[in-house]
Structures are given as C-alpha cells and as structure tokens.
Amino acid sequence: MHLKGTHKFHASANDLWSKLMDTGTLARITPGVSKLEEIGKDQYKAIAEVKMGPVSGSFSGNLNVQDKQEPRSFVLNIKQNSKIGNVAADVKIELQPVSDNETELSFDGKANLSGLLARTGQRVMSGVANTLSKQFFRALEEELANPGS
Amino acid sequence: MTNYIGKAVRRVEDKRFITGKGRYTDDITLPGMAHAYIVRSPYAHARIISIDTSAAEAMEGVVKVYTGKDIAESGINGIPTGWQVNFKNGDTMKEPPHPLLVADKARYMGDAVAVVIAENREIARDAADMVEVEYEELPAVAGPKKATKDGAPLVHDDAPNNLCFDWELGNPKAEVDEALDRSHHITTLEFTNQRVVPNAIEPRSAIGHYESASDKYTLYTTSQNPHLTRLLMCAFVLGIPEHKVRVVAPDVGGGFGSKIFHYAEEALMIWCSQRLNRPVKWTADRSEAFMTDAHGRDHVTKAEMGFDKDGKITGLRVKTYANLGAYLSTFAPCVPTWLHGTLLQGLYTTPKINVDVTGVFTHTTPVDAYRGAGRPEATYLLERLMDTAALEMKMDPAELRMKNFIPPFDGVEQPGYQTQVALQYDSGNYHGVLERALEMAGYDDFRKEQEKARKDGKLLGVGFSTYIEACGIAPSAVVGALGARAGLYEVGQVRVQPTGTVSVYTGSHSHGQGHETTFAQVVADRLGIPMENVEIIHGDSEAVAFGMGTYGSRSLAVGGSAIMKSLDKIIEKGAKIAAHTLEASEEDLEFAEGKWTVKGTDKSVGFGDVALTAYVPHNYPEGLEPGMDFSSFYDPANFTYPFGAHIAIVEVDKDTGKVSLKRFIAVDDVGNVINPMIVDGQIHGGLAQGIGQALFEGAIYDENAQLTNGSYMDYTMPRADDLPSFELDRQVTPCPHNPLGVKGAGEAGTIGSTPAVVNAVMDALSPFGIKNLEMPLTPERVWRAMNS
C-alpha cells in the first residue's frame, strides 16, 4: 500500500518539528494511539486501536525515527503487529518552509500488509489511511494553535 | 420403455435443499463434541522461531492446543499427492512433505501452524488469538516463472529453482520447430491464465469422531471423493487400517473440484479426536476458504501456432509455467500436464504439436483441479490463438475453424481420431455445432450491425470458442501408465428390496449435480418401475462398497455405467426366476415395461413378484442363490469427449471500459442426455464460472506473496445482472463406448466460455489495434488499454 500526501501548516518548520518529536503530543493526537512510550533514543513502543475499513484490531509494536535531518526530514519506520495481521512501513516525512510561519509537510512511503489485513478490504485501506492522516494533521494544527489543550 | 430418460424430471433432492433441510457437515452435532480453530501463518514465508500456547491453554473452555511439533513427534505422515509426473530426464518429481501442521517454516499465507480445541467455536477462535507465534519473515515468491529464476526464494530446500517437474508431450520439439519455421504465418500469444478461487458456497468442514469402545473412527467431511479421502488418510497419513474408518460426505454445497482433494484438516480432526477421545469439528470461515481451498489455473504461457497461406494449421508449440503452490495437492501434478497437454489438439487437424510444461512451487495456496482442470487452460490457449490468427491473417474466425476441423466421425463406422498428444477421440461432429451456433447468432447480420455500430462510435465484438474436453475420467490402465496412483473406475451396486423397490449405492458423489434424480431416471427406465421406487445412496464409505468420487464430468459416464452393469445382472437373474415361475425357457422371455413376458403370449410376471420370489424362494430355480443384489465395477474403455461451439457478443463502453455481455450462445454436444433440465443447469453454472474468469475473477498476490483479495469485498464473483439470458442448444453424438452413450456435461460451460468472451472483447477493441489483454477484463484494464 502506497502512502503519500501533503498538508500545509501555519507554523514554522522548527515549531512543527518539535511537535512531531514530542512523545506526549503525539500520544495525545495520533488517531487510535492509546500508549506511546519512549524505549530508547528515537525508538518508541506504541499501542493503537485501529479500525481500518472492514477490519479492526489492536496493534502493538515499535516506531523508529531514522535519518533525522532537523528540521527538514526524517524516516518513520513502523512495525505493528496484531491478531489480524501485521504492518511494516517506511515513510519519509519532509518539512518544506513555504514562508516564515507556513510549512508544507509531505509524506511518502510504502506499507506492507500481511494476514487478514492484506487479504480483506485492502482497496479501501488507502482511503482509510488517508482519513487517519487527515485527522492527525487537523489535530496537529489545533495543537500548534493551542498547545496542550 | 423410456418413461424418464430424456425428460426434464424435477430434482428430487431440491425439496430438502430449498426448504433448508439439507444436512451438511457443519449441521452435524455429536454428543461431547469439541471445536477446533486453526492458527495460520500471516506470512507467505517465515521461519517459526517459537510458539507459546500457555496463555491460550489457560483460557477457560480451552481443551488443548497442538502445534507442528506435536504432529512431528507423533510420527504420522504428511498429505500425499495422488499423481506422479517426472522430469524429462526420468528423475522423479519433487514431492516435499506437507505436514498437517508445520513445525519449522510456514510456506504460504494460511499455512497451518497450530490447532486450538475448545468447548465451542468462539472460545477456540478467541484462544487462537492468544497463541503467540514468533516468526522470522523470509522473502517469498508468488509467480511461477519468477520462482524458477536463480536466486528466487526457495519454497522447499530440496527443490532447486522451485522445480517440481518438467514435462513434455507430443511430437519431438525439433519437428515442431521445423513445421513452424516453414509456416506462412505464425501467431504468438503470451499470457497468464490467472489463478481463480473456487468459492463453493459451503466452506469446507470436517468432524473427526473416534470411539474408543470399538476403536473405530468416523470422519464427516465436505468431500467430492469420500472413499479416496479414506484411502489417502488411512494408508498414507495416519496409518490406520481402512476397515476401522468410516468416511461420510453428507450433503455438500458445491465443490467445483476444490473438495476432491484430501486436506490436512480432515486427518487433523481424526488425529485430535483420537488423542482427546471426543469428537472434534472444524469449519472454515470464508476468509480461510479463500486462503486454503486449493486454487485453480495459474499458468504463464507462451503459445505459437503456424499456418500455411490457406490458413491450415501447420504446427503448435506451447511453453507453460504452471504454479503448483507451496505443496502438492492430490491431483496437482496431473492438471497442467495430462489434463492440459493432451487437449492441445483441440478440434483441429494440427499435424505437429509440442507442449512443454514446468511445474513450479511458489509461496502460495496449493493449486489443483478447478472446474475443467487443465482443459480450460488448453482451450483458452487454442481458441485465443485461433481468433488472433484470423485477425492477423484477415480471415473470418469461423471460417478459419471450419477449415481446420477434424471431419465428422462416429467412432463406430469411422474409427476414433488419434491425436498428436496421446488421446484418441471417441466420436465427433465439430462442423455441426459451429454451424448451429452461427445460425443462432445470426452471424452474417451481426457483422453488418457491428460495422454500422462502429460508425456510430459503439464498440461491438463477437468471439468464438470451439472446444473439446476429455471427460469420464478414466481408463485405469491408461492413467496408471501416465502416473495416477489410483484406478479411476466406478462402483455401482443395485439392491432390489423384497417388495421390488430398489436401493442404488454409487461411489459417485453428488454435491449439486442431481445424481439422486438422474441416476434414478436411468434405473427406473431400465427396470420399468416408478422413479419413486428408486433411492440413490452415496457419500458414505460404510454404505457404498467403494468409489472414486465426482470430478472430471465422470459421474454419469462412469458411475452411471457401473449401475447399468449391475442392472444387467439384476435383469439376467430376474429372467431365470421369471422363467421358473412362468414355466418357460429363458430364451422365450422378453423384459419390457417392468415385466417378463413369454414372447407372443400374454403370460407375464412383474418385477415386484420376481423380487419377492428372490427373497422368499419357496418355489425357486434349482441351484440359484436367493436375493437380488449386485455390485459392479466399471472401468471405462476410453475417456469421453464432449465438445461444442460457444459465441459471445459483447459491447465495450468507450468511456468507462466496461464490458457488457449482450448475448451468449452455447451449442454443446455432451452425447445422450438423461435430464435436459439438469444438463442446462450444469451448462448455465459452467458458463457463469467461465465468464467470471474472463471478466471478473482472479486471485492477486503482492510482491510478498500476500493474497490481497481474499474476501467478497475484494474478489469479484459474477452476479446475475452481469450475465445475459443464455441461448443454448444441443447436438447429440452418442459416446460409442459406454452403455448410456453419455459424455458428461459438468465442465463444458466453463471450458468453452472463457476464450469466447475474451475473443469478443478483442474483436470489439480491434479498431484500437489491441490484440491481447490479460484476464480479468476489468473496466480499468480495458480503459487503460484504449487510452494508452
């Protein structure tokens, strides 16, 4: 499954970067995430309840932040397992300043699905992923406007 | 007396089916029965590092969890294959073990890793989620040609390049190469005959029931082939003596081939039941069915056909990579070889044919026979070549066929036709079916209509398919020489009850074919008794002496013939009793309309009276045994060869690429017909499946060999509104070598229809210069082709 999209934020690249690297914020605003725990440098353990189209499941696994080029780009390496199948993804996230307080975030990557996740409803899942990312960006925007609310 | 044969008698089994009173395996509940759920690998290829069953076993209601290690330690064998195909150099094919549960590695998504047994299915399912399996994911390969490349991930370490066998048939390749080199024109096609999922409406199910008091086992299973399942399971897997095992295949909701095979779950349920000393049931859910029912087709093929300048075929060269999946299913090696290569003569006088097939392991669900099994792949290849050649040579596709057809022969006055690829056709009149189909289609008018439509910007197309199939499987000595590890005869027992009613036991199994009706029509006619007095019993190894099951359009041709043999014995014995009763000599009697009559007199005795005399033998011929009960084995002299001509007319939407099937004409020659309504039903269902492959269906694996469309949200089945009202007709060329003159009708529709539809779409798209597209012809695929 190909993951790709962009979103423009009313924030500087530095502000956006620091929010994206803040575990507490991410745990609060990422759709479905119930627990996000730092287990090492740039390594996190995540637990998420996700309903993706026709299948819903409880995922747990690791997130690794790699190739950090502050404040421009990083690669998010995701490994999440569940009883309905597993997700392995590498997504490159880039922050491109548009003006002093505008930054465009773009992401591009690929997710490999296995098990029930792979064989059921995969066609609708990129749509679901799209929806989830939009929810995340909206929440992040609000977070930037009203930190900690 | 022909009261029933040839009549559209309503199906006697439908009363229970349409009132919801059928009794399927999953309907059976036994006292003390536990329920199994199987833990399956989410990866196509993974090493099993560890399995922790403790959390699952601690759950309330969980009886036991077994893993591959338990299976390995118990010393039983894996699932065998029933057919051997060797390498060209004589080496035996690779036959890697297929354990009931894997211990070391998972080799396809869905490979069974552990089984959870619990008090009910829901607990078993929940507990299966608690079995912690640690995998090391490994690279996987799904495509058969790709899998043979150096460096491709290996499915089995002892099968280099994933090769199971390589095989060839026909004339020496050098001769075919030469014939093609000398040809005026060569038509070449490269394509994939895509993998399809069988999708029987009833998912597979099995109940193992061990009774310690008698040390006997009963397996209830969704099988087309209960006796062979018993043989394979007892002798090859579990090592239990056959007389201790009863296999019952009750009502079965469709199979299309996928329920012929002996599956691991069957032996597993027996094994679990014996260990736990209680019945254990497993029923697949739909998702499991998509993953684990043996799939069909999946050939990657290059085919070249040569023609002289008049359009006569000069030679055919075929190279196919056949995907066998991760393990060898029961018939797997036979399907792309002896059921495919042997059909490449088609209906044509092709003088030189060479077919080369490489059987390949991949990290996918095992592939085996699916409605038509090998013959649809052969027909697709030939019939796509014919329409493409006609287009390339600017000839009419119908005319090109007529020019190349084998002339009519009845197999009696004229001998059978010896092909270049081993088979000898029994009887045929190929011009006849095509002429009739052309007439029904109004072909000449259609071409005018098509031309006019093109001017109006509408894309109409017509496609042909003239097919032949080898059915009535099969002469045992012949298939034995070809690598079959079993005989392929059939058993029919006729037991006349003292009151003259008749119980018929057949080794043929009915799972939608209507045996209980058709076979009863045959028996009632032959004995001159009402159909209501005949009961057909099948699907129980304890009731029926033996059997080879239902597949390959064999039930009536082979199973019906076995019953006919027993009926002859009944009538012969009846004549002895009647002669005694009538105080006449046997030679002076004739048997008709259910009674023996002394020729030229009105002295007669009825079937019922003779039956009663046989069981109450007070006044009885000296030396004759009492009773009327005969069993026969019928081993056919040859395959049967149904054939036909199919014509599809389609319209392609220029803006969306959607293909609408406007008309479908099918003229089939299946030999004599016992029940025309049932034959029509078989043709209808077959057409829907063949059209399904052309336009809608296809299993899609991603680069990690994950099945990406394993549900009805993702896998398109043909629906009623996708199909026109079929226009059917029949020609009758009786089979010369079986007593009923029947050839088989179960697969005809599927075999003939797929290329007709694809040819029609290619004809519609010919103004775009499109010659070949891969199936299924989805709107997206067609639209992209038109817009590139």
Side-chain angles (χ1 to χ4, degrees), chain B residues 436 440 664-668 679-681 683-684 687 726-730:
Chain B
R436 177 69 187 124
M440 286 166 70
F664 199 96
I665 294 121
V667 180
D668 298 290
V679 170
D680 283 353
I683 301 287
H684 279 230
L687 292 177
F726 299 132
E727 300 165 58
L728 306 186
D729 200 6
R730 260 191 294 278

Side-chain angles (χ1 to χ4, degrees), chain B residues 456-501:
Chain B
D456 299 341
K458 282 172 80 178
L459 301 173
L460 289 184
V462 60
F464 296 86
S465 165
T466 48
Y467 72 89
I468 187 160
E469 45 174 336
C471 296
I473 292 169
S476 295
V478 175
V479 295
L482 304 184
R485 292 165 173 171
L488 287 172
Y489 46 79
E490 196 48 89
V491 181
Q493 182 182 4
V494 179
R495 177 176 297 162
V496 181
Q497 308 291 355
T499 51
T501 59

Side-chain angles (χ1 to χ4, degrees), chain A residues 127-143:
Chain A
V128 173
N130 212 4
T131 307
L132 292 178
S133 61
K134 276 187 186 145
Q135 279 176 22
F136 173 76
F137 293 144
R138 243 195 327 271
L140 185 55
E141 250 175 26
E142 277 173 30
E143 181 70 26

Side-chain angles (χ1 to χ4, degrees), chain B residues 404-484:
Chain B
N404 284 289
F405 277 156
I406 296 161
F409 60 104
D410 62 10
V412 183
E413 298 291 318
Q414 304 94 5
Y417 183 83
Q418 181 57 51
T419 69
Q420 303 297 316
V421 275
L423 299 177
Q424 190 182 54
Y425 295 167
D426 56 354
S427 60
N429 173 7
Y430 309 135
H431 296 78
V433 284
L434 181 54
E435 276 160 14
R436 177 69 187 124
L438 289 170
E439 183 187 312
M440 286 166 70
Y443 182 53
D444 295 339
D445 291 342
F446 173 80
R447 284 296 186 195
K448 287 174 207 146
E449 189 192 331
Q450 180 184 36
E451 206 172 312
K452 189 178 167 297
R454 275 183 187 159
K455 282 179 190 141
D456 299 341
K458 282 172 80 178
L459 301 173
L460 289 184
V462 60
F464 296 86
S465 165
T466 48
Y467 72 89
I468 187 160
E469 45 174 336
C471 296
I473 292 169
S476 295
V478 175
V479 295
L482 304 184

